[in-house]
Amino acid sequence: MARHVLVAGGAGFIGSLTAQALLDRGDRVTIVDDLSTGSKDVIPQGAAFHEASIGDEVAMTTLLSSADIDACICFAGFIAAGESMSDPGKYFVNNVGATTVLLEALAKAQVQQFVFSSSAAVYGEPLFTPMTETHPTAPTSVYGETKLMVERVLSWMASRGAMRYVALRYFNAAGALEGHREAHQPETHLIPLALAAAKGERPALQVFGTDYPTPDGTCIRDYIHVSDLARAHLAALDVLASGTTELVCNLGTSQGYSVREVISAIEEVTGLSVPHELTSRRPGDPAELVASCDLARDVLGWVPTRSALHDIIRDAWHASSGTTN
Ligand SMILES: NC(=O)c1ccc[n+]([C@@H]2O[C@H](COP(=O)([O-])OP(=O)(O)OC[C@H]3O[C@@H](n4cnc5c(N)ncnc54)[C@H](O)[C@@H]3O)[C@@H](O)[C@H]2O)c1
């Protein structure tokens, strides 16, 4: 059944591609984004667009009273864990405060199906790996704390019957689709930074920390293709439509790669060397984040299909060179 979905943060990387996937399957899409880090250029054709902050109570109430929204997916937020450690208030105000304003407006408008962009950053240092959703949560960054706080708001709202939700804990979103690639402002993610360094568009890549308790000393992360992420959001809406009250679910591949391994894979795919310099650890970075994806498979019926590391890099490389994947 076609639905009308409010996509908050739909002018960003993952939100715009998920909005496109919703339109492709016949849903209606309204995007709300304040363009603080997003761009109008990536908003898909066919989506309605409102330029506003989700923290603007009047704007959210007005929007929800004028549109027959069935469900909301919220991608809106600031995403740089490093910045969150030097400017914590900015992250609490936007990621927790503004999201809570949106949730309250949705609840008042009786829109009670909500999919939230959470993060592996809620876990902190791994006690075991791959991490299941039952792994203790002890964020090592303000960013991770803000995601966990919203999950707790959602859990309380669900327990009071005010909201039903799926919180998707993405590991590292990457790749590109139909020419749309990561272009965060500023970019802080490894693969786009390394590709730009390889092309000479940026200075040498900084590798933060070579003394982590990992086989080669650099951080290990689990990279997930943005097209696989987009599909998971459609599945999350489907489980909410069929009555799910509350679900917290990892999205990753169960396979981790170190920073050095990613650099080597980029060099193999592009045939270019990635100039890089080894620097000290950055506050807030756990040594290793790798997802157990059993719950997503069992409950959402979701398995990644495009997230082999070389495929992710190839798609990102083609998009950054102007040749679409
Ligand atoms: N990219 C990743 O690897 C990753 C991993 C885990 C979780 N996440 C989460 O996924 C979501 C999307 O990430 P992304 O990579 O697409 O980031 P992005 O920066 O490309 O997109 C975020 C969008 O939200 C908008 N926005 C920010 N604050 C807003 C507000 N108050 N009101 C309205 N719009 C607002 C921005 O303008 C931008 O368009 C974020 O919440 C992020 O924390 C991302």
Side-chain angles (χ1 to χ4, degrees):
M1 191 189 66
R3 272 164 290 190
H4 187 182
V5 183
L6 179 65
V7 180
F13 174 48
I14 309 168
S16 61
L17 290 168
T18 303
Q20 183 64 63
L22 289 163
L23 290 164
D24 289 346
R25 80 164 178 184
D27 287 332
R28 282 172 65 202
V29 172
T30 293
I31 287 174
V32 58
D33 198 300
D34 65 1
L35 303 180
S36 51
T37 60
S39 163
K40 262 187 192 167
D41 298 345
V42 301
I43 292 175
Q45 250 188 345
F49 175 56
H50 293 262
E51 185 175 339
S53 168
I54 58 168
D56 182 336
E57 186 184 345
V58 174
M60 291 307 100
T61 305
T62 308
L63 169 59
L64 288 162
S65 65
S66 62
D68 51 341
I69 301 287
D70 298 304
C72 175
I73 311 180
C74 183
F75 299 94
F78 296 143
I79 75 158
E83 182 191 47
S84 79
M85 299 299 275
S86 56
D87 197 353
K90 174 178 175 181
Y91 278 69
F92 287 118
V93 168
N94 198 43
N95 289 10
V96 184
T99 306
T100 310
V101 170
L102 170 65
L103 280 167
E104 176 64 351
L106 289 165
K108 282 190 175 147
Q110 299 294 316
V111 179
Q112 294 190 327
Q113 298 179 40
F114 190 78
V115 180
F116 176 57
S117 293
S118 190
S119 167
V122 299
Y123 292 118
E125 289 295 344
L127 303 178
F128 56 85
T129 190
M131 295 160 120
T132 58
E133 292 78 359
T134 56
H135 186 287
T137 48
T140 54
S141 68
V142 169
Y143 168 71
E145 186 69 40
T146 64
K147 294 293 178 183
L148 190 57
M149 288 170 81
V150 173
E151 286 192 11
R152 292 189 59 79
V153 171
L154 287 167
S155 180
W156 276 107
M157 290 183 84
S159 74
R160 307 318 305 148
M163 192 59 66
R164 297 188 292 112
Y165 75 96
V166 177
L168 297 172
R169 292 176 175 168
Y170 320 155
F171 281 59
N172 283 54
L177 196 61
E178 286 154 19
H180 290 289
R181 63 190 169 100
E182 283 187 87
H184 297 110
Q185 302 296 339
E187 189 54 79
T188 56
H189 289 177
L190 175 60
I191 293 173
L193 287 177
L195 287 173
K199 287 199 285 183
E201 293 171 355
R202 292 185 72 107
L205 176 76
Q206 286 190 294
V207 176
F208 295 109
T210 53
D211 58 348
Y212 284 97
T214 60
D216 68 20
T218 63
C219 286
I220 291 177
R221 295 289 181 269
D222 181 344
Y223 295 88
I224 180 81
H225 197 292
V226 64
S227 70
D228 284 328
L229 283 183
R231 279 194 303 108
H233 291 79
L234 274 50
L237 287 177
D238 291 345
V239 298
L240 284 172
S242 63
T244 294
T245 307
E246 186 169 12
L247 174 67
V248 176
C249 200
N250 287 341
L251 296 177
T253 66
S254 304
Q255 172 74 54
Y257 294 94
S258 72
V259 175
R260 288 188 207 267
E261 287 173 323
V262 172
I263 291 173
S264 298
I266 288 175
E267 291 180 337
E268 280 165 32
V269 168
T270 65
L272 300 172
S273 72
V274 177
H276 57 279
E277 59 188 38
L278 309 177
T279 61
S280 51
R281 292 185 186 196
R282 192 172 52 175
D285 280 339
E288 179 169 358
L289 291 172
V290 178
S292 161
C293 305
D294 294 354
L295 191 67
R297 182 196 59 217
D298 296 346
V299 179
L300 296 179
W302 175 88
V303 285
T305 58
R306 199 161 172 168
S307 292
L309 183 61
H310 282 72
D311 292 342
I312 285 176
I313 292 170
R314 197 171 297 111
D315 287 350
W317 171 238
H318 287 156
S320 75
S321 323
T323 50
T324 56
N325 49 304

mmCIF file of all heavy atoms in Angstrom, residues 13 17 174-181 225-227 306 311-325:
data_model
loop_
_atom_site.group_PDB
_atom_site.id
_atom_site.type_symbol
_atom_site.label_atom_id
_atom_site.label_comp_id
_atom_site.label_asym_id
_atom_site.label_seq_id
_atom_site.Cartn_x
_atom_site.Cartn_y
_atom_site.Cartn_z
ATOM 1 N N PHE A 13 22.931 12.763 2.383
ATOM 2 C CA PHE A 13 23.437 11.598 1.645
ATOM 3 C C PHE A 13 22.471 10.401 1.712
ATOM 4 O O PHE A 13 21.924 9.965 0.699
ATOM 5 C CB PHE A 13 24.805 11.231 2.234
ATOM 6 C CG PHE A 13 25.435 9.985 1.705
ATOM 7 C CD1 PHE A 13 25.524 9.733 0.343
ATOM 8 C CD2 PHE A 13 25.982 9.046 2.583
ATOM 9 C CE1 PHE A 13 26.140 8.574 -0.142
ATOM 10 C CE2 PHE A 13 26.598 7.895 2.115
ATOM 11 C CZ PHE A 13 26.669 7.657 0.757
ATOM 12 N N LEU A 17 18.815 9.373 -0.945
ATOM 13 C CA LEU A 17 18.763 8.098 -1.672
ATOM 14 C C LEU A 17 17.636 7.214 -1.146
ATOM 15 O O LEU A 17 17.021 6.456 -1.918
ATOM 16 C CB LEU A 17 20.118 7.395 -1.587
ATOM 17 C CG LEU A 17 21.192 8.130 -2.414
ATOM 18 C CD1 LEU A 17 22.591 7.621 -2.101
ATOM 19 C CD2 LEU A 17 20.904 7.993 -3.910
ATOM 20 N N ALA A 174 28.516 4.142 3.352
ATOM 21 C CA ALA A 174 29.535 4.454 2.336
ATOM 22 C C ALA A 174 28.973 4.112 0.963
ATOM 23 O O ALA A 174 27.808 3.738 0.830
ATOM 24 C CB ALA A 174 30.810 3.655 2.619
ATOM 25 N N GLY A 175 29.807 4.249 -0.061
ATOM 26 C CA GLY A 175 29.380 3.929 -1.425
ATOM 27 C C GLY A 175 28.709 5.117 -2.089
ATOM 28 O O GLY A 175 28.821 6.266 -1.631
ATOM 29 N N ALA A 176 27.990 4.834 -3.154
ATOM 30 C CA ALA A 176 27.299 5.871 -3.923
ATOM 31 C C ALA A 176 26.264 5.173 -4.777
ATOM 32 O O ALA A 176 26.330 3.960 -4.991
ATOM 33 C CB ALA A 176 28.278 6.627 -4.812
ATOM 34 N N LEU A 177 25.305 5.954 -5.250
ATOM 35 C CA LEU A 177 24.257 5.380 -6.092
ATOM 36 C C LEU A 177 23.858 6.404 -7.135
ATOM 37 O O LEU A 177 23.588 7.562 -6.792
ATOM 38 C CB LEU A 177 23.063 5.010 -5.212
ATOM 39 C CG LEU A 177 22.017 4.072 -5.802
ATOM 40 C CD1 LEU A 177 22.630 2.720 -6.148
ATOM 41 C CD2 LEU A 177 20.870 3.886 -4.811
ATOM 42 N N GLU A 178 23.819 5.966 -8.380
ATOM 43 C CA GLU A 178 23.420 6.833 -9.485
ATOM 44 C C GLU A 178 24.068 8.216 -9.399
ATOM 45 O O GLU A 178 23.413 9.251 -9.531
ATOM 46 C CB GLU A 178 21.888 6.940 -9.547
ATOM 47 C CG GLU A 178 21.273 5.668 -10.100
ATOM 48 C CD GLU A 178 19.851 5.441 -9.631
ATOM 49 O OE1 GLU A 178 19.228 6.418 -9.194
ATOM 50 O OE2 GLU A 178 19.399 4.291 -9.709
ATOM 51 N N GLY A 179 25.350 8.195 -9.145
ATOM 52 C CA GLY A 179 26.101 9.449 -9.135
ATOM 53 C C GLY A 179 26.037 10.208 -7.828
ATOM 54 O O GLY A 179 26.780 11.167 -7.633
ATOM 55 N N HIS A 180 25.149 9.797 -6.900
ATOM 56 C CA HIS A 180 25.053 10.491 -5.617
ATOM 57 C C HIS A 180 26.037 9.866 -4.649
ATOM 58 O O HIS A 180 25.968 8.683 -4.348
ATOM 59 C CB HIS A 180 23.644 10.392 -5.034
ATOM 60 C CG HIS A 180 22.651 11.185 -5.791
ATOM 61 N ND1 HIS A 180 22.629 12.557 -5.776
ATOM 62 C CD2 HIS A 180 21.662 10.791 -6.612
ATOM 63 C CE1 HIS A 180 21.650 12.981 -6.555
ATOM 64 N NE2 HIS A 180 21.050 11.928 -7.083
ATOM 65 N N ARG A 181 26.938 10.689 -4.163
ATOM 66 C CA ARG A 181 27.978 10.173 -3.278
ATOM 67 C C ARG A 181 28.001 10.990 -2.000
ATOM 68 O O ARG A 181 27.323 12.012 -1.897
ATOM 69 C CB ARG A 181 29.334 10.262 -3.971
ATOM 70 C CG ARG A 181 29.738 11.690 -4.265
ATOM 71 C CD ARG A 181 30.957 11.759 -5.149
ATOM 72 N NE ARG A 181 31.177 13.093 -5.637
ATOM 73 C CZ ARG A 181 32.053 13.952 -5.127
ATOM 74 N NH1 ARG A 181 32.784 13.615 -4.102
ATOM 75 N NH2 ARG A 181 32.196 15.159 -5.643
ATOM 76 N N HIS A 225 26.894 -0.314 2.284
ATOM 77 C CA HIS A 225 26.569 0.475 1.076
ATOM 78 C C HIS A 225 25.257 1.235 1.283
ATOM 79 O O HIS A 225 24.285 0.686 1.805
ATOM 80 C CB HIS A 225 26.447 -0.455 -0.128
ATOM 81 C CG HIS A 225 26.525 0.253 -1.443
ATOM 82 N ND1 HIS A 225 25.555 1.115 -1.888
ATOM 83 C CD2 HIS A 225 27.477 0.244 -2.412
ATOM 84 C CE1 HIS A 225 25.895 1.591 -3.083
ATOM 85 N NE2 HIS A 225 27.062 1.080 -3.415
ATOM 86 N N VAL A 226 25.233 2.471 0.815
ATOM 87 C CA VAL A 226 24.055 3.316 1.018
ATOM 88 C C VAL A 226 22.802 2.706 0.363
ATOM 89 O O VAL A 226 21.688 2.893 0.859
ATOM 90 C CB VAL A 226 24.342 4.750 0.528
ATOM 91 C CG1 VAL A 226 24.594 4.791 -0.971
ATOM 92 C CG2 VAL A 226 23.262 5.712 0.946
ATOM 93 N N SER A 227 22.967 1.949 -0.717
ATOM 94 C CA SER A 227 21.771 1.358 -1.346
ATOM 95 C C SER A 227 21.194 0.257 -0.452
ATOM 96 O O SER A 227 19.977 0.074 -0.384
ATOM 97 C CB SER A 227 22.087 0.815 -2.741
ATOM 98 O OG SER A 227 22.895 -0.329 -2.644
ATOM 99 N N ARG A 306 25.106 -5.262 -1.613
ATOM 100 C CA ARG A 306 26.039 -4.480 -2.431
ATOM 101 C C ARG A 306 27.192 -3.958 -1.588
ATOM 102 O O ARG A 306 27.832 -2.973 -1.938
ATOM 103 C CB ARG A 306 25.257 -3.303 -3.026
ATOM 104 C CG ARG A 306 25.914 -2.682 -4.223
ATOM 105 C CD ARG A 306 24.919 -1.883 -4.998
ATOM 106 N NE ARG A 306 25.529 -1.120 -6.047
ATOM 107 C CZ ARG A 306 24.845 -0.527 -6.998
ATOM 108 N NH1 ARG A 306 23.529 -0.617 -7.034
ATOM 109 N NH2 ARG A 306 25.460 0.165 -7.928
ATOM 110 N N ASP A 311 33.227 -3.241 -3.931
ATOM 111 C CA ASP A 311 32.060 -2.670 -4.635
ATOM 112 C C ASP A 311 31.735 -1.279 -4.096
ATOM 113 O O ASP A 311 31.421 -0.360 -4.860
ATOM 114 C CB ASP A 311 30.833 -3.577 -4.469
ATOM 115 C CG ASP A 311 30.992 -4.901 -5.205
ATOM 116 O OD1 ASP A 311 31.867 -4.973 -6.095
ATOM 117 O OD2 ASP A 311 30.252 -5.853 -4.884
ATOM 118 N N ILE A 312 31.777 -1.151 -2.773
ATOM 119 C CA ILE A 312 31.530 0.161 -2.152
ATOM 120 C C ILE A 312 32.514 1.186 -2.708
ATOM 121 O O ILE A 312 32.134 2.288 -3.128
ATOM 122 C CB ILE A 312 31.674 0.055 -0.609
ATOM 123 C CG1 ILE A 312 30.468 -0.651 -0.005
ATOM 124 C CG2 ILE A 312 31.872 1.430 0.016
ATOM 125 C CD1 ILE A 312 30.564 -0.899 1.492
ATOM 126 N N ILE A 313 33.783 0.809 -2.704
ATOM 127 C CA ILE A 313 34.817 1.759 -3.155
ATOM 128 C C ILE A 313 34.655 2.052 -4.651
ATOM 129 O O ILE A 313 34.751 3.208 -5.083
ATOM 130 C CB ILE A 313 36.223 1.197 -2.847
ATOM 131 C CG1 ILE A 313 36.428 1.173 -1.327
ATOM 132 C CG2 ILE A 313 37.304 2.021 -3.547
ATOM 133 C CD1 ILE A 313 37.673 0.428 -0.882
ATOM 134 N N ARG A 314 34.368 1.019 -5.423
ATOM 135 C CA ARG A 314 34.218 1.233 -6.877
ATOM 136 C C ARG A 314 33.070 2.218 -7.148
ATOM 137 O O ARG A 314 33.219 3.136 -7.955
ATOM 138 C CB ARG A 314 33.952 -0.126 -7.565
ATOM 139 C CG ARG A 314 34.187 -0.108 -9.060
ATOM 140 C CD ARG A 314 34.137 -1.503 -9.659
ATOM 141 N NE ARG A 314 35.189 -2.377 -9.156
ATOM 142 C CZ ARG A 314 35.013 -3.430 -8.365
ATOM 143 N NH1 ARG A 314 33.798 -3.783 -7.985
ATOM 144 N NH2 ARG A 314 36.036 -4.161 -7.959
ATOM 145 N N ASP A 315 31.945 2.029 -6.460
ATOM 146 C CA ASP A 315 30.801 2.934 -6.673
ATOM 147 C C ASP A 315 31.147 4.362 -6.253
ATOM 148 O O ASP A 315 30.810 5.327 -6.936
ATOM 149 C CB ASP A 315 29.567 2.440 -5.902
ATOM 150 C CG ASP A 315 28.947 1.201 -6.551
ATOM 151 O OD1 ASP A 315 29.357 0.851 -7.674
ATOM 152 O OD2 ASP A 315 28.058 0.591 -5.925
ATOM 153 N N ALA A 316 31.826 4.482 -5.106
ATOM 154 C CA ALA A 316 32.211 5.830 -4.634
ATOM 155 C C ALA A 316 33.205 6.466 -5.600
ATOM 156 O O ALA A 316 33.134 7.662 -5.898
ATOM 157 C CB ALA A 316 32.808 5.739 -3.232
ATOM 158 N N TRP A 317 34.109 5.663 -6.111
ATOM 159 C CA TRP A 317 35.136 6.152 -7.046
ATOM 160 C C TRP A 317 34.483 6.619 -8.348
ATOM 161 O O TRP A 317 34.776 7.708 -8.848
ATOM 162 C CB TRP A 317 36.143 5.025 -7.275
ATOM 163 C CG TRP A 317 37.159 5.245 -8.362
ATOM 164 C CD1 TRP A 317 37.359 4.457 -9.454
ATOM 165 C CD2 TRP A 317 38.144 6.283 -8.433
ATOM 166 N NE1 TRP A 317 38.385 4.940 -10.204
ATOM 167 C CE2 TRP A 317 38.899 6.073 -9.603
ATOM 168 C CE3 TRP A 317 38.461 7.376 -7.631
ATOM 169 C CZ2 TRP A 317 39.938 6.901 -9.989
ATOM 170 C CZ3 TRP A 317 39.503 8.211 -8.018
ATOM 171 C CH2 TRP A 317 40.217 7.971 -9.181
ATOM 172 N N HIS A 318 33.596 5.784 -8.894
ATOM 173 C CA HIS A 318 32.925 6.188 -10.145
ATOM 174 C C HIS A 318 32.121 7.463 -9.950
ATOM 175 O O HIS A 318 32.154 8.357 -10.785
ATOM 176 C CB HIS A 318 32.014 5.059 -10.651
ATOM 177 C CG HIS A 318 32.784 3.917 -11.229
ATOM 178 N ND1 HIS A 318 32.280 2.642 -11.310
ATOM 179 C CD2 HIS A 318 34.023 3.851 -11.744
ATOM 180 C CE1 HIS A 318 33.192 1.840 -11.849
ATOM 181 N NE2 HIS A 318 34.256 2.553 -12.128
ATOM 182 N N ALA A 319 31.414 7.553 -8.838
ATOM 183 C CA ALA A 319 30.599 8.754 -8.599
ATOM 184 C C ALA A 319 31.490 9.981 -8.443
ATOM 185 O O ALA A 319 31.161 11.069 -8.923
ATOM 186 C CB ALA A 319 29.728 8.565 -7.363
ATOM 187 N N SER A 320 32.644 9.800 -7.792
ATOM 188 C CA SER A 320 33.516 10.971 -7.586
ATOM 189 C C SER A 320 34.231 11.354 -8.871
ATOM 190 O O SER A 320 34.722 12.467 -9.005
ATOM 191 C CB SER A 320 34.531 10.700 -6.470
ATOM 192 O OG SER A 320 35.542 9.845 -6.941
ATOM 193 N N SER A 321 34.267 10.418 -9.832
ATOM 194 C CA SER A 321 34.894 10.742 -11.128
ATOM 195 C C SER A 321 33.856 11.147 -12.157
ATOM 196 O O SER A 321 34.188 11.312 -13.333
ATOM 197 C CB SER A 321 35.651 9.528 -11.670
ATOM 198 O OG SER A 321 36.260 8.812 -10.668
ATOM 199 N N GLY A 322 32.588 11.185 -11.742
ATOM 200 C CA GLY A 322 31.541 11.614 -12.668
ATOM 201 C C GLY A 322 31.021 10.519 -13.565
ATOM 202 O O GLY A 322 30.239 10.768 -14.478
ATOM 203 N N THR A 323 31.436 9.258 -13.334
ATOM 204 C CA THR A 323 30.861 8.139 -14.092
ATOM 205 C C THR A 323 29.936 7.385 -13.152
ATOM 206 O O THR A 323 30.360 6.948 -12.090
ATOM 207 C CB THR A 323 31.948 7.175 -14.591
ATOM 208 O OG1 THR A 323 32.783 6.854 -13.486
ATOM 209 C CG2 THR A 323 32.758 7.800 -15.694
ATOM 210 N N THR A 324 28.644 7.307 -13.488
ATOM 211 C CA THR A 324 27.666 6.752 -12.536
ATOM 212 C C THR A 324 27.813 5.242 -12.431
ATOM 213 O O THR A 324 28.326 4.579 -13.318
ATOM 214 C CB THR A 324 26.234 7.084 -12.952
ATOM 215 O OG1 THR A 324 26.041 6.614 -14.257
ATOM 216 C CG2 THR A 324 25.966 8.560 -12.833
ATOM 217 N N ASN A 325 27.338 4.698 -11.278
ATOM 218 C CA ASN A 325 27.328 3.258 -11.095
ATOM 219 C C ASN A 325 25.947 2.715 -11.371
ATOM 220 O O ASN A 325 24.990 3.446 -11.462
ATOM 221 C CB ASN A 325 27.726 2.903 -9.656
ATOM 222 C CG ASN A 325 26.964 3.701 -8.631
ATOM 223 O OD1 ASN A 325 26.974 4.930 -8.646
ATOM 224 N ND2 ASN A 325 26.284 3.045 -7.748
#
